[in-house]
Amino acid sequence: MRKFQTGIFVFLCMSMMCLSSCRKDTETGPNPFESQDDGLIETPTEAYQSEMLALINEVRSHESNCGGDVMAASAEVRWDSRLYAAALAHATSMHNKNYFSHQGDDGSDVATRVQRESYDWKYVGENIAFDFADVATVNTGFETSPTHCKVMNNAAYTEVGVANVGKYWVVVFAAHL
């Protein structure tokens, strides 16, 4: 039994060393965005962000049935780095503090988090998800949930930011004043 426990301990130590040496250092990596003309709206270059933006816009391009409420097709949303920053802050907080809620650990709501990023909004909404394996499954989850579907298809929203930290997904939709 002692030999088995020692073997498990060695295996775990080796696994941890491998994981720590294979870690992607995001603090010194390149900026994951390319600026657009106005400097405010940015285009995501990380694969999951580009894919999520495309999937959201695909859903918005046609009529959707959101739990019995039919939502007309709506215009595409554009990427906004401030909405991404608000989404990232909330996803990071939930991940680091192990909770799942639209309310931040500091009592904030999505409107407050968006205002912190200097985004003056007229309309704002948020979809959150936990434990989805990839962009396609989380987007399908949003599309098949009546409440999330209505947020995603709301024609009032013109911009979006999406963040994924660990198992936490946050999508922030908004429109300027």
Side-chain angles (χ1 to χ4, degrees):
M1 182 67 165
R2 186 91 163 136
K3 221 179 213 185
F4 176 75
Q5 289 174 334
T6 302
I8 294 290
F9 178 75
V10 169
F11 172 76
L12 290 174
C13 288
M14 295 294 284
S15 297
M16 292 303 288
M17 287 189 319
C18 177
L19 287 175
S20 65
S21 67
C22 297
R23 180 179 62 89
K24 179 181 175 187
D25 188 353
T26 56
E27 292 182 10
T28 59
N31 184 339
F33 301 99
E34 297 172 5
S35 294
Q36 297 290 327
D37 293 338
D38 62 7
L40 296 177
I41 298 167
E42 299 185 1
T43 304
T45 57
E46 288 189 12
Y48 85 86
Q49 295 167 331
S50 297
E51 186 179 352
M52 189 65 144
L53 181 62
L55 288 173
I56 289 168
N57 283 326
E58 168 59 28
V59 170
R60 290 171 63 90
S61 73
H62 56 80
E63 185 178 88
S64 294
N65 184 336
C66 300
D69 291 331
V70 176
M71 306 283 292
S74 52
E76 289 188 352
V77 289
R78 296 170 293 160
W79 187 264
D80 186 273
S81 62
R82 294 162 299 176
L83 299 180
Y84 164 73
L88 181 61
H90 191 47
T92 300
S93 175
M94 288 191 295
H95 173 77
N96 290 344
K97 297 178 180 174
N98 196 31
Y99 71 96
F100 183 72
S101 175
H102 285 285
Q103 182 176 350
D105 67 314
D106 61 356
S108 64
D109 60 11
V110 64
T112 302
R113 291 188 292 273
V114 167
Q115 286 172 327
R116 286 178 186 158
E117 300 302 329
S118 300
Y119 188 104
D120 296 322
W121 57 271
K122 182 176 183 179
Y123 302 104
V124 65
E126 175 180 71
N127 281 345
I128 62 173
F130 176 74
D131 203 20
F132 283 85
D134 55 38
V135 172
T137 57
V138 75
N139 196 68
T140 299
F142 289 147
E143 192 175 4
T144 57
S145 162
T147 303
H148 293 96
C149 177
K150 288 175 187 176
V151 171
M152 188 166 36
N153 286 287
N154 188 328
Y157 300 137
T158 58
E159 295 175 315
V160 69
V162 180
N164 169 238
V165 179
K167 294 183 176 191
Y168 295 87
W169 294 84
V170 178
V171 183
V172 177
F173 294 91
H176 287 283
L177 275 174

